[in-house]
Amino acid sequence: MIQSAEAFFVQYGMISPSFDFRNCVSQMRSDMERGLKGEHSSYPMIPTYLKTSGQVPDGEYVAVIDAGGTNFRSALAHFESGFCVIEKVKKIGMPGIGKPATWEDFISFVADAVEPFMKKADKIGFCFSYSADITPEVDGRVNEIDKEVVITGCEGRLVGRNLCAELERRGYAGKRAVIINDTAAVQLGGMAKHLNDGFASCFGQVSGTGTNTCAAVPGKKIEKIKNAFDMIVNFECGSYEGLEQGLFDRQLDEMSHNPGKKHLEKMTAGVYLGELCHLALVRAAEDGLLSRECGKKIRALKTLNSAQADAFSCGEGINALTDNADDAAFIQELAGLLFRRSALLMCANLTAMAELTDAGKKGTTAVFAEGSLVQYSHLYAPELKRLMKQHLQEELGRDVRLIIEEDTTLPGAAAAALLNLH
């Protein structure tokens, strides 16, 4: 009989005793390089056309927007001595929740939100956390709007151009907007918060409901763009497919709304870790590795979210399922293995990014990270920091450090507008 959760995971392919970290990093880096060349790759390596160099001016006001998920925020921002000041923040629900809205409704809604700032601000920084292709003008051409939000007629529309046209119709001519996604906003927002801290370079990392990273990449490496300048590239690392999936990974993938896609995200992101834990515990119960009463309670669970799984990894909340010490130890170990695997794969991704961009060799590289997993999990961030110290600092001599942030999207949107609109 299998005695440990680790042996159970090995049996079902969830972890491999022969996992080679260096080989994983090498394969990830090769895929990143193919993505930059425009070759077939599961790292899309999307150019954002956003520059990170230059000086953020003090005192210039910019309107900032954060549209993502179900909430919409707007505010007025400016910098003072390197610090971003956010004022007049307004948070409301997105249009298109509950009942569909048209694209024209959405643009009018956004214009309503920023119109009070237009006498002070000529620039708009717009964090748009939906699928969009970024143009060389740093506008966003919409692919789709999802996450419980239904906006009809949005496909193919240019967010910034349409917003500025609506503001001009209202009498505010000459306004300009930059469109940025949430991961790039985390990177620039972290930069904005730490302008005076002397970091040589930085990455952006989102580890929450989803998984993604971005970094400034030298223009000469972005071969799919002719005469590219140094810019932030959105790695879309959650799409990486070069990992061996276990049984429960495959089961979850088949249950998802996008089977066959986003393999790394489904092995690492907060929205999936709870369900992976649930699927594994159900099989463990079927295999007789848990007591009959515990197995009965696990099978009765309809869902298990990542917060519950994270609590299990610390030995908390398990008494709702069992008072058997062996059951509790198995459940705690199993949940912990999933969060440790998530941290290991993110560390491999960050290591490949560091090698690609030569980060951490000449000064400290900050990984500005935000999201529910990295901010609130008891296990994930400490494990990721430990792995980064081992693999990046001690083995490779690269000074790459995790800096956990919160509320960086509005400062990031402000920095994006001030650095890229001249």
Side-chain angles (χ1 to χ4, degrees), residues 321-358:
L321 298 176
T322 184
D323 57 5
N324 180 299
D326 291 338
D327 287 346
F330 184 92
I331 292 169
Q332 180 174 353
E333 182 188 1
L334 184 148
L337 286 169
L338 286 170
F339 284 86
R340 289 188 174 91
R341 186 183 71 158
S342 175
L344 177 65
L345 295 176
M346 175 52 71
C347 183
N349 174 73
L350 292 172
T351 303
M353 291 173 63
E355 292 185 351
L356 179 77
T357 61
D358 203 27

Short mmCIF file of all heavy atoms in Angstrom, two decimals, residues 321-358:
data_model
loop_
_atom_site.label_atom_id
_atom_site.label_comp_id
_atom_site.label_asym_id
_atom_site.label_seq_id
_atom_site.Cartn_x
_atom_site.Cartn_y
_atom_site.Cartn_z
N LEU A 321 -12.79 17.30 7.75
CA LEU A 321 -12.86 16.07 6.95
C LEU A 321 -12.56 14.82 7.77
O LEU A 321 -13.06 13.73 7.45
CB LEU A 321 -11.86 16.15 5.78
CG LEU A 321 -12.08 17.26 4.76
CD1 LEU A 321 -10.94 17.25 3.74
CD2 LEU A 321 -13.41 17.08 4.05
N THR A 322 -11.70 14.96 8.78
CA THR A 322 -11.28 13.77 9.52
C THR A 322 -10.68 14.15 10.87
O THR A 322 -10.14 15.25 11.03
CB THR A 322 -10.25 12.98 8.71
OG1 THR A 322 -9.91 11.78 9.41
CG2 THR A 322 -8.99 13.80 8.46
N ASP A 323 -10.78 13.22 11.82
CA ASP A 323 -10.05 13.35 13.08
C ASP A 323 -8.98 12.28 13.19
O ASP A 323 -8.39 12.06 14.24
CB ASP A 323 -11.00 13.29 14.28
CG ASP A 323 -11.82 12.00 14.31
OD1 ASP A 323 -11.58 11.12 13.45
OD2 ASP A 323 -12.71 11.89 15.18
N ASN A 324 -8.72 11.61 12.05
CA ASN A 324 -7.72 10.56 11.97
C ASN A 324 -6.37 11.18 11.65
O ASN A 324 -6.20 11.89 10.65
CB ASN A 324 -8.13 9.56 10.87
CG ASN A 324 -7.14 8.42 10.71
OD1 ASN A 324 -5.99 8.64 10.39
ND2 ASN A 324 -7.62 7.20 10.91
N ALA A 325 -5.37 10.95 12.49
CA ALA A 325 -4.06 11.59 12.33
C ALA A 325 -3.37 11.20 11.03
O ALA A 325 -2.72 12.02 10.39
CB ALA A 325 -3.16 11.24 13.52
N ASP A 326 -3.52 9.94 10.61
CA ASP A 326 -2.90 9.49 9.35
C ASP A 326 -3.55 10.18 8.16
O ASP A 326 -2.86 10.60 7.22
CB ASP A 326 -3.02 7.98 9.20
CG ASP A 326 -2.14 7.23 10.20
OD1 ASP A 326 -1.16 7.83 10.70
OD2 ASP A 326 -2.44 6.05 10.48
N ASP A 327 -4.87 10.29 8.17
CA ASP A 327 -5.59 11.02 7.11
C ASP A 327 -5.09 12.47 7.04
O ASP A 327 -4.79 12.99 5.95
CB ASP A 327 -7.09 11.05 7.40
CG ASP A 327 -7.78 9.73 7.17
OD1 ASP A 327 -7.17 8.84 6.54
OD2 ASP A 327 -8.93 9.59 7.62
N ALA A 328 -5.02 13.10 8.20
CA ALA A 328 -4.65 14.52 8.25
C ALA A 328 -3.23 14.73 7.70
O ALA A 328 -2.98 15.67 6.94
CB ALA A 328 -4.74 15.04 9.68
N ALA A 329 -2.32 13.85 8.06
CA ALA A 329 -0.94 13.98 7.58
C ALA A 329 -0.87 13.80 6.07
O ALA A 329 -0.14 14.53 5.37
CB ALA A 329 -0.05 12.95 8.28
N PHE A 330 -1.64 12.84 5.54
CA PHE A 330 -1.65 12.60 4.09
C PHE A 330 -2.21 13.81 3.35
O PHE A 330 -1.64 14.27 2.35
CB PHE A 330 -2.49 11.36 3.79
CG PHE A 330 -2.49 10.96 2.34
CD1 PHE A 330 -1.57 10.05 1.85
CD2 PHE A 330 -3.42 11.49 1.46
CE1 PHE A 330 -1.57 9.69 0.50
CE2 PHE A 330 -3.43 11.14 0.12
CZ PHE A 330 -2.49 10.23 -0.36
N ILE A 331 -3.32 14.36 3.82
CA ILE A 331 -3.96 15.50 3.17
C ILE A 331 -3.04 16.72 3.21
O ILE A 331 -2.88 17.44 2.21
CB ILE A 331 -5.31 15.81 3.84
CG1 ILE A 331 -6.30 14.68 3.57
CG2 ILE A 331 -5.87 17.14 3.34
CD1 ILE A 331 -7.58 14.76 4.40
N GLN A 332 -2.42 16.96 4.36
CA GLN A 332 -1.51 18.11 4.48
C GLN A 332 -0.33 17.96 3.51
O GLN A 332 0.04 18.92 2.82
CB GLN A 332 -0.99 18.25 5.91
CG GLN A 332 -0.05 19.44 6.08
CD GLN A 332 0.36 19.67 7.53
OE1 GLN A 332 -0.15 19.02 8.44
NE2 GLN A 332 1.30 20.58 7.75
N GLU A 333 0.25 16.77 3.44
CA GLU A 333 1.39 16.55 2.55
C GLU A 333 0.97 16.72 1.08
O GLU A 333 1.67 17.36 0.29
CB GLU A 333 1.96 15.16 2.76
CG GLU A 333 3.19 14.88 1.89
CD GLU A 333 3.64 13.43 1.95
OE1 GLU A 333 3.00 12.61 2.65
OE2 GLU A 333 4.63 13.11 1.27
N LEU A 334 -0.18 16.16 0.71
CA LEU A 334 -0.64 16.24 -0.67
C LEU A 334 -0.87 17.68 -1.10
O LEU A 334 -0.40 18.11 -2.17
CB LEU A 334 -1.92 15.41 -0.83
CG LEU A 334 -2.50 15.29 -2.24
CD1 LEU A 334 -3.19 13.93 -2.42
CD2 LEU A 334 -3.50 16.40 -2.53
N ALA A 335 -1.57 18.46 -0.28
CA ALA A 335 -1.82 19.86 -0.63
C ALA A 335 -0.52 20.63 -0.72
O ALA A 335 -0.31 21.43 -1.65
CB ALA A 335 -2.74 20.50 0.42
N GLY A 336 0.40 20.38 0.20
CA GLY A 336 1.68 21.07 0.17
C GLY A 336 2.48 20.78 -1.08
O GLY A 336 3.13 21.67 -1.65
N LEU A 337 2.41 19.54 -1.57
CA LEU A 337 3.13 19.18 -2.79
C LEU A 337 2.65 19.98 -3.99
O LEU A 337 3.44 20.35 -4.86
CB LEU A 337 2.96 17.67 -3.05
CG LEU A 337 3.76 16.74 -2.14
CD1 LEU A 337 3.30 15.30 -2.32
CD2 LEU A 337 5.25 16.87 -2.40
N LEU A 338 1.36 20.25 -4.07
CA LEU A 338 0.82 21.02 -5.19
C LEU A 338 1.33 22.46 -5.17
O LEU A 338 1.69 23.02 -6.22
CB LEU A 338 -0.71 21.00 -5.16
CG LEU A 338 -1.36 19.69 -5.58
CD1 LEU A 338 -2.85 19.71 -5.27
CD2 LEU A 338 -1.13 19.41 -7.07
N PHE A 339 1.36 23.08 -4.00
CA PHE A 339 1.84 24.47 -3.91
C PHE A 339 3.35 24.52 -4.13
O PHE A 339 3.85 25.47 -4.75
CB PHE A 339 1.46 25.08 -2.56
CG PHE A 339 0.01 25.46 -2.47
CD1 PHE A 339 -0.95 24.53 -2.10
CD2 PHE A 339 -0.40 26.74 -2.80
CE1 PHE A 339 -2.30 24.87 -2.05
CE2 PHE A 339 -1.74 27.09 -2.75
CZ PHE A 339 -2.69 26.15 -2.38
N ARG A 340 4.08 23.50 -3.68
CA ARG A 340 5.53 23.47 -3.91
C ARG A 340 5.84 23.25 -5.39
O ARG A 340 6.79 23.83 -5.93
CB ARG A 340 6.18 22.38 -3.05
CG ARG A 340 6.20 22.72 -1.57
CD ARG A 340 7.02 21.71 -0.77
NE ARG A 340 7.13 22.15 0.63
CZ ARG A 340 6.29 21.81 1.59
NH1 ARG A 340 5.26 21.00 1.31
NH2 ARG A 340 6.44 22.26 2.81
N ARG A 341 5.05 22.41 -6.05
CA ARG A 341 5.25 22.20 -7.49
C ARG A 341 4.98 23.49 -8.25
O ARG A 341 5.70 23.84 -9.18
CB ARG A 341 4.34 21.08 -7.99
CG ARG A 341 4.59 20.71 -9.44
CD ARG A 341 3.64 19.65 -9.97
NE ARG A 341 2.29 20.15 -10.16
CZ ARG A 341 1.39 19.59 -10.98
NH1 ARG A 341 1.70 18.51 -11.67
NH2 ARG A 341 0.18 20.10 -11.08
N SER A 342 3.94 24.22 -7.86
CA SER A 342 3.63 25.50 -8.50
C SER A 342 4.81 26.46 -8.37
O SER A 342 5.22 27.10 -9.34
CB SER A 342 2.37 26.11 -7.86
OG SER A 342 2.12 27.40 -8.39
N ALA A 343 5.38 26.55 -7.16
CA ALA A 343 6.52 27.44 -6.93
C ALA A 343 7.74 26.99 -7.73
O ALA A 343 8.48 27.82 -8.27
CB ALA A 343 6.85 27.49 -5.44
N LEU A 344 7.96 25.68 -7.83
CA LEU A 344 9.10 25.16 -8.58
C LEU A 344 9.01 25.53 -10.06
O LEU A 344 10.00 25.95 -10.67
CB LEU A 344 9.16 23.64 -8.42
CG LEU A 344 10.27 22.93 -9.20
CD1 LEU A 344 11.64 23.34 -8.67
CD2 LEU A 344 10.09 21.41 -9.11
N LEU A 345 7.82 25.39 -10.64
CA LEU A 345 7.65 25.70 -12.06
C LEU A 345 7.77 27.20 -12.32
O LEU A 345 8.31 27.62 -13.34
CB LEU A 345 6.31 25.16 -12.56
CG LEU A 345 6.19 23.63 -12.53
CD1 LEU A 345 4.78 23.20 -12.95
CD2 LEU A 345 7.24 22.98 -13.42
N MET A 346 7.28 28.03 -11.38
CA MET A 346 7.47 29.48 -11.54
C MET A 346 8.95 29.83 -11.41
O MET A 346 9.45 30.69 -12.16
CB MET A 346 6.64 30.24 -10.50
CG MET A 346 6.87 31.75 -10.51
SD MET A 346 6.71 32.54 -12.14
CE MET A 346 4.93 32.43 -12.39
N CYS A 347 9.66 29.18 -10.50
CA CYS A 347 11.10 29.44 -10.37
C CYS A 347 11.83 29.08 -11.65
O CYS A 347 12.73 29.81 -12.10
CB CYS A 347 11.66 28.66 -9.19
SG CYS A 347 13.41 29.01 -8.89
N ALA A 348 11.46 27.97 -12.27
CA ALA A 348 12.07 27.58 -13.55
C ALA A 348 11.80 28.64 -14.61
O ALA A 348 12.70 29.02 -15.38
CB ALA A 348 11.55 26.22 -13.99
N ASN A 349 10.58 29.13 -14.66
CA ASN A 349 10.22 30.17 -15.62
C ASN A 349 11.03 31.44 -15.38
O ASN A 349 11.57 32.05 -16.32
CB ASN A 349 8.72 30.45 -15.52
CG ASN A 349 8.28 31.62 -16.37
OD1 ASN A 349 8.20 31.54 -17.58
ND2 ASN A 349 7.97 32.74 -15.71
N LEU A 350 11.14 31.87 -14.12
CA LEU A 350 11.91 33.08 -13.80
C LEU A 350 13.40 32.89 -14.10
O LEU A 350 14.07 33.82 -14.54
CB LEU A 350 11.71 33.44 -12.33
CG LEU A 350 10.31 33.91 -11.93
CD1 LEU A 350 10.21 34.05 -10.41
CD2 LEU A 350 9.95 35.22 -12.60
N THR A 351 13.90 31.69 -13.88
CA THR A 351 15.31 31.41 -14.18
C THR A 351 15.56 31.50 -15.68
O THR A 351 16.56 32.09 -16.13
CB THR A 351 15.71 30.03 -13.65
OG1 THR A 351 15.45 29.97 -12.24
CG2 THR A 351 17.19 29.76 -13.88
N ALA A 352 14.65 30.94 -16.48
CA ALA A 352 14.77 31.04 -17.94
C ALA A 352 14.70 32.49 -18.39
O ALA A 352 15.44 32.92 -19.28
CB ALA A 352 13.67 30.22 -18.61
N MET A 353 13.83 33.28 -17.76
CA MET A 353 13.73 34.71 -18.08
C MET A 353 15.03 35.44 -17.75
O MET A 353 15.49 36.30 -18.51
CB MET A 353 12.56 35.33 -17.32
CG MET A 353 11.18 34.89 -17.78
SD MET A 353 9.86 35.50 -16.69
CE MET A 353 10.02 37.27 -16.90
N ALA A 354 15.62 35.10 -16.60
CA ALA A 354 16.86 35.74 -16.19
C ALA A 354 17.98 35.43 -17.18
O ALA A 354 18.78 36.31 -17.53
CB ALA A 354 17.24 35.29 -14.78
N GLU A 355 18.04 34.19 -17.63
CA GLU A 355 19.07 33.82 -18.60
C GLU A 355 18.81 34.50 -19.94
O GLU A 355 19.75 34.96 -20.60
CB GLU A 355 19.11 32.30 -18.76
CG GLU A 355 19.61 31.59 -17.51
CD GLU A 355 19.76 30.10 -17.71
OE1 GLU A 355 19.33 29.58 -18.77
OE2 GLU A 355 20.32 29.43 -16.81
N LEU A 356 17.56 34.58 -20.35
CA LEU A 356 17.22 35.21 -21.62
C LEU A 356 17.61 36.69 -21.64
O LEU A 356 18.11 37.20 -22.63
CB LEU A 356 15.71 35.07 -21.88
CG LEU A 356 15.18 35.69 -23.18
CD1 LEU A 356 15.52 34.82 -24.37
CD2 LEU A 356 13.67 35.90 -23.09
N THR A 357 17.36 37.39 -20.54
CA THR A 357 17.58 38.84 -20.47
C THR A 357 18.88 39.20 -19.78
O THR A 357 19.18 40.39 -19.63
CB THR A 357 16.41 39.51 -19.73
OG1 THR A 357 16.34 39.00 -18.38
CG2 THR A 357 15.07 39.24 -20.42
N ASP A 358 19.64 38.19 -19.31
CA ASP A 358 20.89 38.38 -18.57
C ASP A 358 20.67 39.20 -17.30
O ASP A 358 21.47 40.07 -16.93
CB ASP A 358 21.95 39.05 -19.46
CG ASP A 358 23.36 38.77 -18.93
OD1 ASP A 358 23.55 37.72 -18.28
OD2 ASP A 358 24.26 39.60 -19.16
#
